[in-house]
Amino acid sequence: VPYVGGLAMTVQNQTVEYAGTVYAPVLGTLPFITSGIWATDSAKFRVIQGVTLAEVQANEQVIEVYLGR
């Protein structure tokens, strides 16, 4: 869906499109409601367009090691 204010982001697999790029919420930021100001919300999202499953899983493993899980 296009990025706009008022979107309830509650799960990690929701996506928004902003300026031609697809984003999903960062797990640690959930839940939140988008403000409609990309500069405010952009840190709560990660690019997923063109990202492979292997890259996502590798990143999650790094985070788990960092957090001591």
Side-chain angles (χ1 to χ4, degrees), residues 37-64:
I37 302 169
W38 183 251
T40 300
D41 292 339
S42 64
K44 299 176 185 176
F45 289 97
R46 59 189 169 84
V47 174
I48 62 165
Q49 181 174 315
V51 176
T52 67
L53 178 58
E55 291 170 321
V56 171
Q57 289 172 334
N59 189 41
E60 288 173 353
Q61 289 172 353
V62 169
I63 291 169
E64 287 177 1

